[in-house]
Amino acid sequence: MVKEMRSDSNSDPFPFTKHYHIFIKFAVSFLVFGLAFRLLSSDSIWFSSSPAVQLQIPAQPDYTTLNAANQTQPPVSFDPDFPANQTQTQLTSECDLFTGDWVADPSGPFYTNRTCPEIEGHQNCMKNGRPDLDYLYWRWNPLDCDLPRFNPYKFLENMRDKSWAFIGDSISRNHVQSLLCILSQVEEANEVYHDEEYRSKIWRFPAHNFTLSVIWTPFLIKADIFEDMNGVSSSEIQLHLDQLDPKWTDQYKNYDYVVIAGGKWFLKTAIYYENNTIIGCHYCPGKNLTELGFDYAYRRALRLIFDFITLADHRPFIFFRTTTPDHFENGEWFSGGTCNRTLPFKEGEVDIRDVDASMRDIELEEFERATAATLGGADKGMILKLLDTTRLSLLRPDGHPGPYRQFEPFAKDKNAQVQNDCLHWCLPGPIDTWNDLVMEMIANHR
């Protein structure tokens, strides 16, 4: 635990003898040496939770080097079944990691757009010409406990001979790429598989025999999708509410850790099926079908997913991540919506949109139902954790590519009308914090 140390500089002076002087000098030297040793052996640097201050950020920082302490830190063994970070004030079970605020962090990200080979072009905001850099210098500060920065040395050491899967849509892929970027500062992964559209991938870290996968299944249930890579549809999605997508269920038994998430795709126009029979739809005017709404389909899907997880013989460590709000203003992604903010929101400055609130309520209700049904499942190794990133992500309207999903979008015309991305995250960016949360939840799981 980091303790506050105070000195009283207003003490009255006293006449000391020569021997007493020697004693005082020795005591001070011993204290200084002890403090230095503690600082050098600490896993992470802690910052005050005071309100954010205005940062003096260089206009053109050097992105060719990383923090020296992070580069040279040796691998450390770490057991996920016991608290691994003894400097933390409270265990995860005793505090809410997901309630807090974003505070200034002059240390910046662990990696850069030049040191990570896994950043896709539409996420590489700095390379694409984004002029501001303030969004890189914030960290999530939970209200009642400390959140250590993700330690890639500890993570890889503990994940020897293990496998992870991130299951969901493009936000899950965004999350995987953030994790890859952090881990690549220790060991670069080899891509060993990709599907035809490069949406599902597998990487291997040979030195640790660690496998990391992303499985693209935007609904998590069976869906016939008629949409190209640019989001243009030729027909309505056909969604089977009573069948899971075998792309992930067939591989489920292969993973030790799973991060699963869904949500946004359920807002799209879709025809709903049960028992291979049409029962209704969502947003399908002119089809003469019953409007059931996305909330009906999402609840059905989550219940099917949680039933599969809780009844399966295989028992991985599972994170269920809540929905990610977007930050489109003055329109949607297809109608000129933008996200030009350059600072985080403070608590109380923004309200969650109705659709996101509805989606998150369904997630919390179905998660609670699943965990309540498996209270006796601990003996079977059932571990199901809620990765509730919705609120902390809502406070970061500044972390999206916006128009800089394209390379130098205003190079030829400063008033050009370009499509904005206000849903996915720049890399590096706020999504890196999700990995801090994941590692802390593993470290403090009992």
Side-chain angles (χ1 to χ4, degrees):
M1 182 182 296
V2 177
K3 298 181 179 178
E4 183 178 358
M5 300 182 67
R6 298 179 179 176
S7 61
D8 187 356
S9 59
N10 297 318
S11 301
D12 293 331
F14 293 94
F16 297 107
T17 65
K18 180 178 179 180
H19 293 293
Y20 199 60
H21 270 300
I22 294 173
F23 174 78
I24 290 297
K25 290 179 179 179
F26 176 79
V28 170
S29 299
F30 180 80
L31 287 172
V32 170
F33 176 79
L35 180 59
F37 177 79
R38 178 170 180 167
L39 289 173
L40 288 172
S41 61
S42 176
D43 283 344
S44 56
I45 300 174
W46 301 90
F47 295 91
S48 170
S49 59
S50 58
V53 297
Q54 183 64 37
L55 295 173
Q56 298 298 318
I57 303 171
Q60 293 182 335
D62 181 5
Y63 291 118
T64 61
T65 60
L66 293 173
N67 184 298
N70 288 333
Q71 284 187 314
T72 58
Q73 187 174 3
V76 183
S77 178
F78 130 93
D79 186 343
D81 294 325
F82 297 94
N85 193 329
Q86 300 302 322
T87 63
Q88 175 180 327
T89 56
Q90 298 183 37
L91 296 179
T92 302
S93 60
E94 298 173 352
C95 74
D96 182 1
L97 287 171
F98 309 110
T99 299
D101 58 3
W102 291 90
V103 297
D105 180 6
S107 65
F110 193 88
Y111 64 95
T112 76
N113 65 320
R114 294 184 181 177
T115 63
C116 177
E118 297 295 339
I119 302 178
E120 294 186 21
H122 59 274
Q123 301 161 340
N124 201 333
C125 302
M126 288 182 287
K127 182 179 180 180
N128 290 343
R130 179 168 173 169
D132 64 299
L133 299 172
D134 299 60
Y135 70 96
L136 298 172
Y137 295 88
W138 300 89
R139 67 176 177 87
W140 178 246
N141 182 49
L143 185 62
D144 297 320
C145 52
D146 294 311
L147 178 62
R149 294 189 71 174
F150 185 93
N151 187 322
Y153 298 93
K154 285 184 176 180
F155 182 87
L156 283 172
E157 184 64 25
N158 191 63
M159 294 303 155
R160 285 185 181 277
D161 306 319
K162 298 289 195 301
S163 60
W164 277 62
F166 287 71
I167 303 171
D169 57 21
S170 57
I171 299 294
S172 293
R173 190 164 63 245
N174 202 176
H175 190 183
V176 165
Q177 288 157 340
S178 167
L179 179 58
L180 280 167
C181 284
I182 297 174
L183 297 179
S184 69
Q185 310 310 304
V186 176
E187 181 185 358
E188 192 167 324
N190 298 326
E191 184 182 311
V192 295
Y193 167 81
H194 61 76
D195 64 5
E196 186 177 350
E197 296 179 324
Y198 289 80
R199 284 172 159 170
S200 296
K201 294 184 178 183
I202 301 175
W203 297 266
R204 184 163 289 121
F205 293 78
H208 294 83
N209 193 29
F210 170 57
T211 303
L212 180 60
S213 302
V214 59
I215 302 173
W216 187 77
T217 170
F219 290 101
L220 303 169
I221 58 178
K222 183 181 177 182
D224 299 315
I225 301 172
F226 309 94
E227 186 174 297
D228 64 20
M229 296 294 287
N230 296 316
V232 178
S233 298
S234 58
S235 183
E236 298 86 0
I237 294 166
Q238 312 294 305
L239 199 56
H240 297 263
L241 304 184
D242 55 352
Q243 299 181 53
L244 292 172
D245 188 348
K247 274 200 296 188
W248 71 272
T249 57
D250 287 352
Q251 303 180 59
Y252 184 74
K253 64 182 181 297
N254 299 328
Y255 303 114
D256 301 296
Y257 293 80
V258 169
V259 183
I260 192 166
K264 286 297 184 183
W265 276 69
F266 283 86
L267 300 178
K268 293 175 177 284
T269 296
I271 309 299
Y272 297 155
Y273 289 76
E274 288 184 5
N275 296 318
N276 293 317
T277 302
I278 294 177
I279 62 168
C281 70
H282 169 57
Y283 193 64
C284 56
K287 290 290 185 181
N288 195 27
L289 295 173
T290 303
E291 171 62 46
L292 295 175
F294 78 88
D295 49 344
Y296 174 86
Y298 195 40
R299 187 181 296 277
R300 286 281 311 218
L302 288 183
R303 188 160 296 188
L304 198 62
I305 292 161
F306 284 130
D307 284 348
F308 174 83
I309 288 171
T310 55
L311 295 175
D313 292 332
H314 182 57
R315 299 290 185 173
F317 193 121
I318 305 163
F319 294 93
F320 175 72
R321 179 178 57 74
T322 57
T323 190
T324 303
D326 62 63
H327 292 95
F328 287 100
E329 297 183 62
N330 305 311
E332 298 297 328
W333 69 270
F334 54 84
S335 59
T338 60
C339 44
N340 297 323
R341 297 180 184 270
T342 58
L343 292 172
F345 286 123
K346 287 294 185 182
E347 190 64 47
E349 291 182 344
V350 61
D351 292 323
I352 191 169
R353 294 198 311 170
D354 290 344
V355 290
D356 291 323
S358 176
M359 198 166 284
R360 184 169 178 271
D361 287 345
I362 293 170
E363 291 169 341
L364 297 182
E365 290 165 8
E366 292 304 314
F367 180 86
E368 184 177 355
R369 172 188 169 274
T371 53
T374 58
L375 287 178
D379 293 338
K380 298 180 180 179
M382 183 69 201
I383 306 172
L384 179 58
K385 298 287 187 181
L386 185 71
L387 183 59
D388 190 4
T389 57
T390 301
R391 190 69 196 175
L392 64 91
S393 300
L394 178 66
L395 299 179
R396 291 306 305 272
D398 57 319
H400 302 292
Y404 297 99
R405 68 189 296 272
Q406 306 170 44
F407 181 70
E408 297 185 354
F410 305 113
K412 295 180 179 180
D413 180 2
K414 65 179 181 180
N415 297 315
Q417 298 297 312
V418 298
Q419 185 179 343
N420 280 245
D421 183 350
C422 305
L423 174 62
H424 301 92
W425 303 95
C426 294
L427 293 178
I431 197 172
D432 296 324
T433 290
W434 296 6
N435 296 309
D436 299 341
L437 295 165
V438 165
M439 187 166 184
E440 186 69 357
M441 293 170 73
I442 294 174
N444 287 320
H445 169 69
R446 293 192 172 208

